[in-house]
Amino acid sequence: MDIITITDSQFISFFLVFFRISAILFTAPLFGSKNIPRRIKISLALAITIVMITSLNQQMKLDGALLIQSQNVIGLLIMIFREVLFGIAVGYTAQLTFMGIQMAGQLIGQEMGFGMMRIMDPTTRANVTIVAQFKVTVAMLIFLIIGGHHYILMGLAKSFSAVPLAQWGVSEPLVEHLSAVFSSIFSTALKIAIPVMATLFLTKIALAIIARTMPQMNVFFVAMPLKIGLGFIMLMVSLNIFQLLFDIVYHDMIQFTSDLVVKLS
């Protein structure tokens, strides 16, 4: 009977790959949803790790220096910590796109008067406005339709060829890139929220003029239902625009994530 022999290098590589994939899946869009039980995420990470190890075995071998470092408990923990940080950085960068969309929904909800009406977002367990939850749900559906989850899985495989195990470092371009990524949240939110917010802003100006010219009219009584009605109409009208904007934002997400991996290598 043939006995399968597993070397120390293969054993350590398996766990490093597992920790990188787990960190990405726990923070990436869709896969990182809190609705998905942790056991499912860990099982999926384990299954993907086995597939990666068997198909990309040559790219996941540790060199001599790293293998020597892994023999030390502290050295091994540092290597695991680096892989977890790498996975969180990649997954969280992709997740920032949906944070920008959620922020857009929050801004629109506040303008429409839904600031106090909040529900729990099942994916993040955070209290958000109804509009924010609607925007994120539509964005997630579009993300699934255009195959965004496939991109995440393909990105997992490509990350090992771009950044070998435990071989990435922090540099000045990386810090600048992360700063640009975080600032993109606000630009994404404004791009998505501007049609509705501009309409509601013009509505406020019109109501202010009416209040000046017709003091006998109770503008405050009219303003709230008018803003809610116009807000819902603009949300429906701007759905096609939202789809086009999400396509742009989605490609920005791919570019940001790819650039991050390049700067980590």
Side-chain angles (χ1 to χ4, degrees), residues 194-205:
I194 200 66
V196 182
M197 292 187 67
T199 302
L200 295 178
F201 178 71
L202 293 175
T203 303
K204 286 182 179 180
I205 294 176

Side-chain angles (χ1 to χ4, degrees), residues 147-180:
H149 53 301
H150 295 159
Y151 165 75
I152 292 176
L153 295 176
M154 287 188 294
L156 278 174
K158 292 181 180 179
S159 71
F160 292 101
S161 58
V163 183
L165 292 175
Q167 296 185 43
W168 63 270
V170 179
S171 60
E172 185 176 345
L174 174 63
V175 176
E176 293 175 354
H177 178 71
L178 289 176
S179 176

Side-chain angles (χ1 to χ4, degrees), residues 222-243:
V222 178
M224 185 58 69
L226 181 62
K227 286 168 60 178
I228 293 174
L230 284 175
F232 276 122
I233 291 172
M234 285 304 300
L235 278 175
M236 296 301 106
V237 171
S238 62
L239 275 179
N240 287 333
I241 301 174
F242 177 68
Q243 184 178 353

